[in-house]
Amino acid sequence: MRSTGSFTDAELLAEADEAVLEGLRSWAERNAGETLRPTGRNLRNLNPVIVDDDDSPVLESAWWGYLVDGAPARFPSINTRSERLQDRPGGLRSRAIVPATGWYELQKPDRIWHEFGLGAGVAFGMAAVTQRGRTPDGEWTTCYSIVMRPAPEHLAALHDRVPVLIPTAFAQDWLSAEPSRELIDEVLLAAASLDQRLRAEPRPNDRGDGMLF
């Protein structure tokens, strides 16, 4: 994932909280040029996510992927299929929005990187589910997994799945609504409203060029 240090537009919250945006800009400027990668046993890379605090959005540092017994989970945890949450909506108990200005996928078998997003420098939100986990040094932190869905038809040849993107009008519902099958169904419908804006451009690598994630 990636984000520019000074994004041109923010499609994260219907009523964007300036403290959230300033915190995000500050983090992005400190990390400009770095592509965010999942935190693993030899890489600690906490990054901001938006969570709900008494019906107000706040930024919180989080660990990409789940921690189990003080170590990164041995099962795949950086992504969660939307279909799994439809079958088991209990996984929606705790949620977040991951801000980004784009993400990278490798097209196979050609092995060509593509950068996906809503436009140059446009910050948007990815749906995530969260849980608490203990780091290898004993600290407790928020861990998150990005919710993925089948790719829209015009992008499916590049990659079969995409993150669930959250329109601003649905952001607070995602953060604070009661966990249910209806919630995941509604967020998938909301995400589909952004499909026609979603584009992908070929890139020589996934290292970024001054981007948030």
Side-chain angles (χ1 to χ4, degrees), residues 1 11 79-83 85-86 92 96-100 103 105 118 124-129 145-152 161-167 170 174 183-195 198:
M1 294 187 293
E11 300 192 20
N79 297 326
T80 297
R81 285 176 171 259
S82 59
E83 297 92 331
L85 295 173
Q86 288 174 311
L92 294 164
I97 293 174
V98 180
W103 75 93
E105 300 286 4
L118 297 180
F124 52 84
M126 301 176 177
V129 288
S145 179
I146 295 173
V147 182
M148 304 291 286
R149 68 180 181 95
R161 302 188 74 83
V162 297
V164 172
L165 304 190
I166 301 182
F170 199 81
W174 175 253
L183 176 61
I184 190 65
D185 289 345
E186 289 171 3
V187 78
L188 289 171
L189 285 174
S193 71
L194 298 175
D195 281 357
L198 192 54

Side-chain angles (χ1 to χ4, degrees), residues 62-108:
W63 182 294
W64 187 7
Y66 292 152
L67 289 160
V68 178
D69 296 329
R74 294 185 179 182
F75 56 87
S77 65
I78 63 171
N79 297 326
T80 297
R81 285 176 171 259
S82 59
E83 297 92 331
R84 178 179 176 84
L85 295 173
Q86 288 174 311
D87 291 338
R88 302 177 184 178
L92 294 164
R93 284 190 300 271
S94 181
R95 305 178 298 276
I97 293 174
V98 180
T101 54
W103 75 93
Y104 295 103
E105 300 286 4
L106 185 63
Q107 182 187 13
K108 298 177 181 178

